[in-house]
Amino acid sequence: MAAAPQPVPPEALYREPPPTRFHEVHGVNIRVDQSGTRATRVESFANGLCFSREPLAPGQVFLVEIEEKELGWCGHLRLGLTALDPGSLTPVPEYSLPDLVSLGRSWVFAITRHHNRVATEGQEEEPPGRLPGLLDEPYLHIEQLRIPRDRLVGRSRPGRYSHLLDQLYELNVLPPTARRSRLGVLFCPRPDGTADMHILINGEDMGPSARGLPTTQPLYAVVDVFASTKSVHLVQLEYGLPSLQTLCRIVIQRNVIHRLAIDGLHLPTGLKDFCKYE
């Protein structure tokens, strides 16, 4: 009789994971750049499945930013996890939903412009609320995990009237399906030896979108560059202490009215761009 799976120790949840990359196996319409961090669908609206190169560690976020959209298609990015080895998928399924999921041991969530939050048992889906400012709550808490929110949040490019839309840029939250939105997937181990899959959208946890995932098997991230989503690139996170660059940005955020004001500061161009765009 097989032994019961052991819970993942808390200290394992805070080890710095390696940088994320896309797997060399992907849909026939996908092109991955040489760095392995950008995936683009070059034709049609389907055959855009991508996977993480390595299985995710517990609590590790596979985070992408929508880089390019394509008009004329109905549907958006899809995210999830699979216990199937991407290298064994010959051919790669045309769609994540339903094709990949129908193979078993795969869990995929379709991102929509609205109503992405998962209602817990006995509760209705909560209406979207105002996201706490990055200066008010710099960490996202999911069960026993604590993830810095700074790089989880997508930001629109600043323009002449962007400050009116941003209400101070640290509160700027894009629609989930918009360009520059950041979406991620991770799994959180539970005491019973299983895991919950969580979807993150611009720094907010949408709740457990799938439960009972096996923690005894490698879990790869699934990104379906589907329909109106044409290109995405990976965003690397800081899991431990924030970098000096991030700390500088937090100080700058506390002392500017909106992003256009950053241009007038006597700072290196690279730091100003980091504050405005990243």
Side-chain angles (χ1 to χ4, degrees):
M1 185 174 179
Q6 296 298 314
V8 177
E11 60 270 16
L13 299 174
Y14 297 96
R15 294 172 184 164
E16 190 73 21
T20 54
R21 296 291 186 269
F22 285 115
H23 203 285
E24 59 270 15
V25 173
H26 48 71
V28 295
N29 287 337
I30 285 292
R31 301 294 180 268
V32 176
D33 72 350
Q34 290 186 346
S35 70
T37 61
R38 179 175 285 102
T40 303
R41 193 185 69 251
V42 295
E43 60 178 275
S44 183
F45 64 94
N47 284 301
L49 264 177
C50 303
F51 306 93
S52 59
R53 182 178 297 177
E54 303 292 340
L56 298 186
Q60 180 182 11
V61 182
F62 197 80
L63 184 68
V64 299
E65 180 177 297
I66 298 176
E67 189 169 77
E68 189 176 351
K69 304 274 292 183
E70 186 170 56
L71 299 178
W73 303 116
C74 181
H76 306 282
L77 187 76
R78 296 165 172 182
L79 286 175
L81 296 167
T82 182
L84 302 174
D85 182 354
S88 68
L89 297 175
T90 52
V92 174
E94 185 175 6
Y95 304 99
S96 58
L97 291 170
D99 298 10
L100 178 66
V101 171
S102 67
L103 297 178
R105 296 189 296 156
S106 299
W107 305 265
V108 176
F109 188 89
I111 305 298
T112 63
R113 187 174 176 84
H114 306 287
H115 307 297
N116 292 293
R117 189 178 300 279
V118 178
T120 57
E121 187 175 353
Q123 294 181 341
E124 296 182 357
E125 181 183 2
E126 297 180 2
R130 183 179 182 183
L131 181 68
L134 293 178
L135 305 182
D136 300 325
E137 181 49 70
Y139 291 95
L140 175 65
H141 298 271
I142 306 175
E143 298 179 9
Q144 68 268 50
L145 299 174
R146 190 181 75 158
I147 307 169
R149 286 183 51 236
D150 183 66
R151 295 185 66 82
L152 294 174
V153 180
R155 300 179 177 91
S156 63
R157 295 187 69 84
R160 179 175 296 179
Y161 302 109
S162 63
H163 60 289
L164 300 178
L165 301 174
D166 290 351
Q167 301 179 9
L168 298 179
Y169 85 98
E170 70 270 14
L171 296 179
N172 172 33
V173 179
L174 298 170
T177 58
R179 286 185 64 249
R180 300 187 69 81
S181 266
R182 293 185 175 182
L183 306 101
V185 61
L186 73 155
F187 69 92
C188 299
R190 297 184 59 81
D192 63 0
T194 66
D196 292 344
M197 181 178 82
H198 287 252
I199 300 295
L200 308 183
I201 299 180
N202 288 322
E204 285 194 276
D205 173 28
M206 296 296 106
S209 54
R211 295 185 183 273
L213 278 66
T215 56
T216 55
Q217 302 175 28
L219 293 171
Y220 295 83
V222 176
V223 179
D224 193 351
V225 187
F226 177 69
S228 65
T229 305
K230 185 175 179 64
S231 181
V232 298
H233 72 262
L234 290 171
V235 178
Q236 308 302 328
L237 295 181
E238 299 170 343
Y239 290 90
L241 294 175
S243 67
L244 178 60
Q245 193 176 40
T246 297
L247 292 173
C248 288
R249 176 162 68 184
I250 291 174
V251 172
I252 292 169
Q253 288 174 353
R254 290 181 175 139
N255 292 278
V256 297
I257 299 175
H258 55 76
R259 285 181 289 173
L260 296 181
I262 294 175
D263 288 326
L265 300 178
H266 297 290
L267 295 170
T269 301
L271 180 57
K272 289 195 286 188
D273 288 345
F274 179 73
C275 291
K276 292 190 296 182
Y277 301 139
E278 290 296 320

